[in-house]
Amino acid sequence: MLAAACLTALVGLGVSASCGYRLAGSADLLPDRIRTIAVPAFSNATSEFKIEQYLTQAIVREMLARTRYSVVSREENADATLRGTVMLFDAIPQNFDRSTGRATSVMTVTRVHVALYDRQDGSELYSNPDLTHRETYEVSADPEAYVNERDAAMLRASRTMASTLVSAVLSGF
């Protein structure tokens, strides 16, 4: 009985695999000829100092860690180019400590305009003029433990936005 159930499960998996099903997060809809992607520094349309640097670095790290692509800095050495502009970065206090009045949680909102171009023919492989990522995180209410929360927020938001962006590029969303 157990052997029959196992056999049925294996056959079901084989049929699923042959029908084009994949594990979630493994889709890559870019053309096979794309092997290298240039990621020049993003532009910054905000007043937030260095957010474009943090985000560009996080995207490069995410691409190298999660994809099959080589990442280069010079466009002429790439098959595709990922261009972006940080349109918004904001850190909004959400909750406050009643005794100190300090924020205990902050929501960051990051919005970018991003596009991936095929260098061979100039076609747009992916575009999103309003890719937005929100994230809430806890902040220490202890004034003795204070660190520059704004920089920490930008770094954290850049890493999670990079993950969101790479997933969107690969899946075409």
Side-chain angles (χ1 to χ4, degrees):
M1 186 69 141
L2 183 59
C6 287
L7 182 59
T8 303
L10 286 173
V11 169
L13 283 174
V15 169
S16 294
S18 67
C19 291
Y21 289 99
R22 293 183 178 183
L23 293 175
S26 66
D28 183 350
L29 301 178
L30 297 179
D32 289 338
R33 64 181 160 65
I34 303 293
R35 295 207 166 101
T36 57
I37 297 176
V39 183
F42 276 32
S43 300
N44 186 355
T46 75
S47 60
E48 197 64 51
F49 181 63
K50 296 197 316 188
I51 184 63
E52 78 285 359
Q53 294 171 25
Y54 291 145
L55 186 56
T56 303
Q57 290 169 359
I59 290 166
V60 168
R61 278 193 300 272
E62 189 73 12
M63 283 256 191
L64 291 171
R66 286 187 43 207
T67 72
R68 61 180 171 87
Y69 304 106
S70 297
V71 178
V72 297
S73 57
R74 300 187 65 177
E75 292 182 52
E76 57 270 11
N77 298 335
D79 300 317
T81 301
L82 182 69
R83 293 191 178 283
T85 301
V86 182
M87 304 303 291
L88 172 75
F89 176 81
D90 208 354
I92 306 158
Q94 297 293 296
N95 296 310
F96 297 88
D97 181 289
R98 291 182 187 193
S99 62
T100 64
R102 288 179 44 102
T104 58
S105 69
V106 173
M107 178 177 68
T108 60
V109 180
T110 310
R111 193 174 80 225
V112 298
H113 178 192
V114 63
L116 179 68
Y117 299 97
D118 186 331
R119 290 210 359 102
Q120 184 177 41
D121 61 10
S123 65
E124 198 170 75
L125 300 170
Y126 172 82
S127 177
N128 189 334
D130 191 27
L131 183 63
T132 303
H133 180 79
R134 290 175 179 79
E135 178 180 10
T136 301
Y137 67 94
E138 300 299 313
V139 177
S140 174
D142 179 8
E144 299 296 320
Y146 178 78
V147 294
N148 186 347
E149 296 290 346
R150 192 86 174 171
D151 280 349
M154 286 192 298
L155 285 168
R156 185 178 288 116
S158 294
R159 286 191 300 263
T160 55
M161 173 55 112
S163 179
T164 298
L165 191 147
V166 169
S167 294
V169 167
L170 295 178
S171 64
F173 292 109

